[in-house]
Amino acid sequence: MEWEAVIGLEVHVQLATKTKIFSGASTAFGAEPNTQACAIDLGLPGTLPVVNEEAINMAIKFGLGVNAEINKVNVFERKNYFYPDLPKGYQTTQLDKPIVGAGTVDIALEDGSVHTVRIHHAHLEEDAGKSLHEDFAGMSGIDLNRAGTPLIEVVTEPDMRNAKQAVAFARKLHSIVTTLGICDGDMSQGSMRFDVNVSVRPKGQEKLGTRTETKNLNSFRFMEAAINKEIQRQIEAIEDGFEIIQETRLYNGDTGEARSMRSKEEANDYRYFPCPDLLPVVIDDSRLDKLRAEMPEMPEVRKARFIEELGLSNYDAEILSGEKATADYFEAAAKTSGDAKLAANWVLGELAKTLNQNDTEIKDSPVSAEMLGGLIARIKDNTISGKIAKQVFDALWKGEGSTADEVIEKKGLKQVTDTGAIEAIVDEVLAANQAQVEQYQAAEEAKRGKMIGFFVGQIMKASKGKANPGMVNQLLKKKLG
Amino acid sequence: MAIDRSTIESVAHLARLSISEDEVRQTTDKITAIMGLIDEMQAVNTDGVEPLAHPLDATQRLRVDEVTEPNQREQLQAGAPATEDGLFLVPRVIE
Amino acid sequence: MSDPTSTKPIHQQSLAELSGALQAGKVSSVELTQHYLDRIKQLNNKINCFITVTEEQALEQAKAADTAIAAGNASPLTGIPLAHKDLFCTEGVKTSCGSKMLDNWVAPYESTVTGNLKAAGTVTLGKLNMDEFAMGGSNENSFYGPVRNPWNKEMVPGGSSGGSAAAVAAGLAVATTGTDTGGSIRQPASMCGITGLKPTYGRVSRWGMVAFASSLDQAGPMARTAQDAAMLLNVMAGFDPKDSTCMDRAVPDYTATLDQPLKGLRIGLPKEYFAEGLDAKVEQVIRDAIAEYEKLGATVKEISLPRTHHSVAAYYVIAPAEASANLSRFDGVRFGYRCEDPKDLEDLYKRSRGEGFGSEVKNRIMVGAYALSAGYYDAYYAKAQKIRRLIRDDFLKAFEEVDVIMGPTAPTPAFPIGAKANDPVAMYLGDIFTISTNLAGLPGMSVPAGFVDGLPVGLQIIGPHFEEARLLNAGHQFQQETDWHLHTPSEA
């Protein structure tokens, strides 16, 4: 049977405010345990929350960034459960009246099409602290520095069908929140954490299968692996005659192992009710107008600009605008090189391949956008060929020079465009391959195109790739008749 | 509504309260009586009435995003039952 | 020791009188403070209204107050010895909430109410007994034992601010602070023969006041006279950015309007407040008090607050629901009581909470958790919030026709200790006349209006939102014509 996976995401995005959502304690990462947990964060008796304006503003910006409705009256509720990292015994969150309503995010699929993922809603809530399990003689240590850090939880509709789509969405979301400046996007510090809901169903079936939720994935790679593993697990279980149990699962990125955390039956009864310590948050038009005016260029808008102004294809524009870091890189490279299409090809081709092979993020690329732009400029002005350019790129990657010109100069890779010099090489190669010359001349016109490639290859080899391929072709055609 | 023993036990679990064997009976009787009083509410017609969470029709005031709470770990942990290296200690948390 | 200009002993004088004596240099704050500390030593074992006495700190504050007075830097409250309900956080002094759970807890911060009063130069004698976490109407639910009514020590003082009421009645503090979630200032004020005011919700900051039910709790003054209450409210009230529910609204000088004549004041008498469960003798006291107001030129009109009976049911959903979440933080992890040798996390939670809380608190937490649990929310919590709106709207409508509403504070005078211990419903119905003002967020006051069988009875005055001045004016004018507030129990 052919199976189809159905995937929805819940994404926790830590907002880049200076202070907690309900207290004036700092949110800076990496402080000594409990030095940024004030009386309010600790839930000490008699303390009260007051809402951080910037958290509200950032959530609104997110809503504007995903074309969502902003709920002008939104309400904080208490979600009740006991856990040591949850100081008050309830999480202050939003349920019925979240700040951000339904919206959309577009992602590029591998087949070149563009797919829309619907956002169900996004709500504001407070983060929990952390439990540390080492070194306390059988006890756990609780650090509440993170408790009260503002989060938006973005909940999608189940609109993704495979891990690649889920990752594409996650990357796009990353781009949106970093473009907006509402999240530092640092996944290794937990600034974005993904819960993935996965179910499978026979292809063509409308009804959704039973889903599981794998929590707290904090890298794109882990997310992809965890989803693929879970899809596989579910398919195998069903094919072996088992039923899927609705449960929460954990995936260990380091070992690649997944396991059940708790099943829905023993899940908590959260007893949500409106938080009586807080009043409804009312967002007026003047706040909305002000925030709208402050919005940076969003990926969608940038994409449209890439198509209209730079002449990129829909697909290339989607991919290049998807992540802010990539888009910034591309624009800088396009500007330096003076050829946007060539820059797009390089960023999506050689650069993407090399980044991937070396497991490197674009922001950490040893070849900067300016370096790549300089390299492309040399292709454009015929100083080097595309093939030589790859050598120059590799050299730049390895740190063998700080500009393309430096590498070209040092390695003597400058393209030979002198007709006389190229002609000498052509003559040499033709003389050395007389049999092939005769074959060529006896061949029908239709087969000659393919055969000429042999001579081009020999000539490029003899010139160490430096001969201008256009000129080589012209000379060959003339000499071979 | 009569509240039975198992309901009391499950609510006590939900609220993380140990109820001793001696207490269960009295607790069950008292809560049954209280729920009887509460159920009188059902006689009130509330069709079309919006719930009221706060007596004043006020809205949330927002706080400027500035750090106002310095590190006070020492004072704040002075009354803690068990701490080590600045962490609150609890029996091992199993995820 | 007594003030030579007065025939009354110090501890029977009002705050206003003592303030005058202090400012005039007729008595020092140290003398006053020592007088009250001596009385506490002498009488607290009989009344049990103090949980903590802060003798050393009180005398230091008194010295500072005397210096301020001598330097001419005094406020009207400078040097006045007060005591606070033990759920106001006081930096460096234990705040127990009448619970084993917090028997060892010292807040590292100060409540806004006590902070404001300290900043005004008052002296803190100590912290007062109360029903555990303010849950109760008799002050029998305290880890520190019941408070006894100074008028008859076999009787309860009312609750939950029973210690606060008894301390004023017994002359162990000039005035005190209390909190009122369903009547916890007014009902003990009535039962102990003192004046108590619950302000409008949002008038006084809740910061540092350990929460029972956040949308209902409000702190207020408990004192001998309406004038004293006005002087205290002047300092207690006001905007506090640390409490989201505290209103940013100017505080009038509540003493400035005390002397306004009451001619033309329109008084509404809810017929429901003179029906169900009202003791006939209490009713007579209240009718006599109303007649006094008519003599002062007020007009009286019968009104209806038809949901009065159901206010109790709605309240006993909303308050426990909020409490069930508010009290989840008492988990034995970061502060407060932790059970011995927990075998695992669940054991830590269940035993710390099971052993740390008393039975009334546990029952209310369970009622609240039950009312919020899956499948019951609409039938209980949502229903109660809808009734809450109806109740508030009934009041708003009534205030279109009348300026104040009057009636009994409680259906009966103080009852014997233990009488309702096993009947929670009977106990809860004792709040029937006070609960709806909390649900509606209105200010309410109890003033001494007479006696039944030697026990005091209070008249309740309810006003529109933020009209505390009107209540204090009405109370003060009544106290110019009557002397019920001047009666003192034999030992005081």
Side-chain angles (χ1 to χ4, degrees):
Chain A
M1 189 183 303
E2 204 181 338
W3 296 92
E4 177 183 62
V6 177
I7 301 162
L9 299 184
E10 290 166 26
V11 188
H12 289 94
V13 179
Q14 273 186 356
L15 298 180
T17 53
K18 292 201 218 52
T19 64
K20 307 279 176 83
I21 184 167
F22 300 123
S23 84
S26 170
T27 54
F29 182 83
E32 284 292 300
N34 291 309
T35 56
Q36 289 179 173
C38 72
I40 297 169
D41 305 325
L42 296 184
L44 293 192
T47 60
L48 294 169
V50 183
V51 179
N52 182 343
E53 178 168 24
E54 200 51 30
I56 297 289
N57 288 345
M58 287 181 173
I60 294 171
K61 282 186 186 171
F62 176 77
L64 296 174
V66 297
N67 317 304
E69 261 176 62
I70 306 299
N71 289 321
K72 292 197 174 170
V73 178
N74 57 94
V75 172
F76 284 101
E77 309 222 12
R78 293 181 178 179
K79 177 183 182 182
N80 296 284
Y81 64 96
F82 286 88
Y83 209 69
D85 65 11
L86 187 71
K88 299 188 295 293
Y90 56 82
Q91 182 191 29
T92 308
T93 178
Q94 299 185 315
L95 182 71
D96 284 340
K97 292 174 181 163
I99 187 161
V100 175
T104 56
V105 169
D106 285 349
I107 55 171
L109 302 189
E110 287 195 314
D111 66 4
S113 66
V114 171
H115 176 63
T116 298
V117 175
R118 291 167 300 159
I119 303 291
H120 180 273
H121 76 272
H123 61 260
L124 268 167
E125 63 184 24
E126 57 183 334
D127 208 343
K130 285 178 183 169
S131 306
L132 308 170
H133 305 294
E134 316 84 32
D135 297 336
F136 302 107
M139 306 280 274
S140 289
I142 308 297
D143 175 10
L144 296 170
N145 278 348
R146 199 178 68 177
T149 298
L151 299 175
I152 45 171
E153 181 175 339
V154 182
V155 180
T156 75
E157 298 285 356
D159 284 351
M160 288 148 281
R161 293 291 173 269
N162 58 50
K164 285 220 157 22
Q165 289 180 14
V167 170
F169 171 81
R171 287 187 176 276
K172 186 65 175 287
L173 201 68
H174 185 270
S175 165
I176 291 170
V177 298
T178 50
T179 301
L180 288 169
I182 63 171
C183 175
D184 65 17
D186 196 331
M187 314 248 304
S188 65
Q189 295 179 358
S191 297
M192 278 181 91
R193 310 193 293 274
F194 298 86
D195 299 346
V196 295
N197 290 300
V198 175
S199 65
V200 297
R201 61 184 174 190
K203 198 153 188 154
Q205 178 183 301
E206 185 116 357
K207 191 168 167 283
L208 292 170
T210 304
R211 67 186 161 90
T212 64
E213 181 179 30
T214 302
K215 278 186 133 25
N216 262 329
L217 299 163
N218 65 355
S219 90
F220 298 130
R221 208 149 46 86
F222 289 171
M223 189 174 136
E224 185 167 353
I227 292 171
N228 282 329
K229 194 178 177 77
E230 179 60 10
I231 292 171
Q232 206 50 44
R233 185 190 72 86
Q234 291 191 15
I235 292 171
E236 280 168 17
I238 296 169
E239 286 181 342
D240 290 347
F242 296 105
E243 273 191 38
I244 302 300
I245 303 160
Q246 189 173 345
E247 62 183 355
T248 302
R249 299 180 63 81
L250 282 180
Y251 175 81
N252 184 328
D254 299 328
T255 62
E257 282 168 11
R259 65 178 169 86
S260 176
M261 198 165 131
R262 55 175 180 258
S263 70
K264 200 73 188 175
E265 289 83 72
E266 55 194 84
N268 253 307
D269 178 349
Y270 289 124
R271 290 158 287 141
Y272 284 94
F273 74 105
C275 178
D277 283 328
L278 295 166
L279 300 169
V281 177
V282 175
I283 294 158
D284 55 24
D285 288 337
S286 67
R287 180 180 298 274
L288 276 182
D289 291 345
K290 184 170 166 282
L291 292 170
R292 244 186 223 113
E294 288 172 12
M295 289 289 282
E297 185 183 44
M298 292 308 293
E300 299 304 322
V301 179
R302 202 167 196 182
K303 175 184 162 185
R305 191 164 56 77
F306 286 177
I307 294 171
E308 282 158 30
E309 291 178 13
L310 304 181
L312 301 193
S313 72
N314 187 31
Y315 180 77
D316 286 357
E318 176 60 43
I319 298 188
L320 287 170
S321 62
E323 282 190 63
K324 181 173 158 50
T326 307
D328 288 346
Y329 187 105
F330 159 70
E331 277 215 85
K335 196 173 166 216
T336 314
S337 69
D339 189 327
K341 280 189 182 174
L342 207 47
N345 290 342
W346 272 84
V347 172
L348 294 173
E350 198 63 21
L351 177 70
K353 192 183 85 190
T354 314
L355 288 171
N356 197 32
Q357 281 165 354
N358 292 280
D359 198 14
T360 303
E361 293 289 324
I362 197 162
K363 68 175 166 58
D364 304 320
S365 170
V367 181
S368 72
E370 287 67 28
M371 287 155 83
L372 183 65
L375 172 61
I376 294 166
R378 292 298 156 265
I379 303 170
K380 201 171 144 65
D381 68 11
N382 279 330
T383 306
I384 52 172
S385 68
K387 198 165 181 188
I388 291 292
K390 286 182 185 171
Q391 280 183 45
V392 178
F393 180 85
D394 284 343
L396 288 170
W397 183 276
K398 290 176 191 142
E400 293 168 12
S402 58
T403 65
D405 289 341
E406 185 191 328
V407 173
I408 292 165
E409 182 63 39
K410 209 155 66 180
K411 300 202 168 204
L413 295 173
K414 198 167 177 194
Q415 190 162 247
V416 180
T417 50
D418 171 358
T419 314
I422 294 176
E423 196 166 3
I425 301 171
V426 171
D427 288 343
E428 199 179 301
V429 167
L430 293 181
N433 296 285
Q434 204 50 50
Q436 282 83 352
V437 172
E438 280 162 24
Q439 272 179 28
Y440 177 90
Q441 283 162 343
E444 294 166 30
E445 186 64 31
K447 288 184 179 170
R448 283 185 172 183
K450 209 170 177 184
M451 293 172 83
I452 204 166
F454 166 79
F455 300 108
V456 175
Q458 293 298 313
I459 293 160
M460 294 311 284
K461 200 171 162 188
S463 74
K464 298 198 173 87
K466 289 188 282 186
N468 182 306
M471 292 172 75
V472 170
N473 262 306
Q474 262 180 6
L475 279 167
L476 270 173
K477 279 184 183 152
K478 198 173 87 187
K479 288 185 187 280
L480 288 167
Chain B
M1 180 193 299
I3 305 293
D4 59 21
R5 187 194 171 99
S6 74
T7 305
I8 293 296
E9 284 169 350
S10 74
V11 175
H13 172 71
L14 202 54
R16 298 296 186 272
L17 292 168
S18 64
I19 304 284
S20 69
E21 199 51 38
D22 303 343
E23 286 175 295
V24 172
R25 181 162 183 111
Q26 218 189 16
T27 301
T28 307
D29 289 350
K30 281 190 177 176
I31 291 183
T32 297
I34 295 166
M35 293 313 296
L37 169 76
I38 288 171
D39 279 331
E40 290 180 14
M41 238 178 19
Q42 305 308 333
V44 181
N45 181 357
T46 53
D47 293 349
V49 179
E50 275 294 301
L52 180 71
H54 271 281
L56 307 173
D57 294 314
T59 60
Q60 180 64 37
R61 208 172 44 245
L62 302 176
R63 179 176 59 77
V64 177
D65 185 26
E66 277 167 10
V67 176
T68 54
E69 303 295 323
N71 172 24
Q72 298 173 67
R73 186 171 79 183
E74 206 174 315
Q75 299 94 298
L76 296 177
Q77 289 193 338
T83 57
E84 191 175 317
D85 300 343
L87 297 159
F88 295 99
L89 293 191
V90 297
R92 199 170 179 81
V93 177
I94 300 153
E95 273 186 357
Chain C
M1 187 175 77
S2 70
D3 173 2
T5 66
S6 170
T7 54
K8 289 185 286 186
I10 281 180
H11 55 270
Q12 288 181 8
Q13 293 185 43
S14 71
L15 190 161
E17 288 167 326
L18 292 171
S19 173
L22 281 167
Q23 311 282 336
K26 289 176 183 160
V27 66
S28 73
S29 177
V30 169
E31 284 174 284
L32 275 187
T33 301
Q34 192 59 57
H35 179 76
Y36 281 99
L37 289 169
D38 291 345
R39 284 185 62 78
I40 293 166
K41 269 180 208 153
Q42 185 195 336
L43 292 169
N44 188 49
N45 59 352
K46 296 179 185 166
I47 310 288
N48 195 31
C49 54
F50 276 86
I51 290 174
T52 303
V53 179
T54 50
E55 180 166 359
E56 229 172 275
Q57 182 193 301
L59 289 168
E60 273 171 36
Q61 289 170 331
K63 273 183 215 155
D66 285 333
T67 308
I69 293 168
N73 295 330
S75 88
L77 296 186
T78 301
I80 299 291
L82 303 176
H84 302 300
K85 188 175 184 177
D86 206 17
L87 56 54
F88 291 101
C89 293
T90 43
E91 197 171 348
V93 175
K94 178 171 97 169
T95 299
S96 74
C97 292
S99 181
K100 180 181 179 183
M101 185 61 87
L102 292 180
D103 184 42
N104 61 2
W105 189 61
V106 177
Y109 41 82
E110 187 80 20
S111 79
T112 300
V113 164
T114 53
N116 286 350
L117 288 168
K118 282 180 189 172
T122 65
V123 171
T124 306
L125 296 167
K127 305 289 292 289
L128 296 163
N129 206 343
M130 56 184 282
D131 279 304
E132 184 178 5
F133 287 101
M135 296 181 190
S138 66
N139 220 124
E140 293 165 288
N141 306 326
S142 169
F143 177 63
Y144 301 93
V147 175
R148 293 174 180 275
N149 192 315
W151 293 89
N152 178 339
K153 297 192 189 64
E154 302 306 309
M155 300 290 174
V156 303
S160 66
S161 310
S164 303
V168 174
L172 303 188
V174 178
T176 59
T177 52
T179 61
D180 189 316
T181 306
S184 283
I185 286 175
R186 291 159 289 160
Q187 184 254 27
S190 174
M191 290 183 174
C192 289
I194 68 160
T195 304
L197 172 68
K198 179 202 97 73
T200 307
Y201 183 80
R203 176 75 290 184
V204 174
S205 170
R206 296 186 298 110
W207 171 263
M209 194 177 112
V210 180
F212 162 15
S214 308
S215 79
L216 300 161
D217 294 344
Q218 189 64 197
M222 303 180 76
R224 293 188 169 271
T225 68
Q227 184 183 22
D228 291 359
M231 292 172 75
L232 290 164
L233 187 62
N234 275 350
V235 172
M236 292 170 74
F239 175 61
D240 180 2
K242 291 194 281 201
D243 174 3
S244 295
T245 64
C246 185
M247 294 300 119
D248 189 357
R249 202 181 159 108
V251 180
D253 177 358
Y254 294 107
T255 62
T257 44
L258 291 173
D259 292 327
Q260 284 182 3
L262 297 186
K263 193 166 168 47
L265 183 78
R266 297 171 301 166
I267 298 172
L269 303 181
K271 62 174 190 243
E272 294 81 3
Y273 283 28
F274 292 87
E276 197 168 355
L278 178 61
D279 180 292
K281 291 176 187 167
V282 171
E283 176 170 358
Q284 195 51 54
V285 166
I286 300 305
R287 298 272 181 208
D288 291 348
I290 305 292
E292 198 64 48
Y293 275 99
E294 289 184 292
K295 278 194 238 161
L296 288 167
T299 60
V300 172
K301 177 180 180 178
E302 187 184 87
I303 60 166
S304 177
L305 296 170
R307 278 86 179 194
T308 299
H309 176 77
H310 291 110
S311 67
V312 182
Y315 174 88
Y316 277 97
V317 171
I318 294 167
E322 293 184 7
S324 72
N326 281 336
L327 271 60
S328 292
R329 66 189 62 196
F330 300 94
D331 60 4
V333 175
R334 299 164 312 286
F335 58 86
Y337 179 76
R338 171 181 279 200
C339 67
E340 295 282 335
D341 301 323
K343 69 177 198 296
D344 56 27
L345 193 56
E346 186 165 307
D347 189 43
L348 168 77
Y349 285 146
K350 288 189 170 174
R351 281 202 293 125
S352 297
R353 292 166 58 75
E355 294 164 14
F357 290 137
S359 66
E360 178 66 18
V361 171
K362 285 191 271 188
N363 287 351
R364 294 205 197 187
I365 290 172
M366 284 194 280
V367 167
Y370 181 69
L372 290 171
S373 62
Y376 293 108
Y377 183 89
D378 287 338
Y380 291 126
Y381 189 76
K383 181 83 179 178
Q385 296 284 50
K386 289 174 184 175
I387 294 174
R388 184 176 193 179
R389 181 176 295 277
L390 293 175
I391 288 167
R392 186 192 67 167
D393 292 351
D394 286 345
F395 274 106
L396 296 182
K397 196 163 145 259
F399 283 122
E400 290 171 6
E401 297 180 357
V402 300
D403 301 313
V404 291
I405 291 169
M406 290 190 186
T409 302
T412 67
F415 48 85
I417 291 172
K420 298 184 184 177
N422 288 313
D423 190 349
V425 172
M427 186 76 88
Y428 295 177
L429 287 170
D431 299 335
I432 188 161
F433 302 137
T434 47
I435 269 175
S436 23
T437 55
N438 295 81
L439 291 170
L442 299 165
M445 184 162 81
S446 182
V447 291
F451 287 84
V452 167
D453 303 331
L455 292 168
V457 168
L459 167 76
Q460 185 176 207
I461 314 174
I462 300 165
H465 290 129
F466 296 102
E467 293 294 346
E468 288 80 5
R470 194 183 295 173
L471 306 188
L472 290 161
N473 171 220
H476 180 70
Q477 290 304 305
F478 183 74
Q479 288 174 344
Q480 301 308 296
E481 303 300 319
T482 61
D483 66 355
W484 304 116
H485 61 291
L486 300 177
H487 290 235
T488 50
S490 55
E491 268 179 308

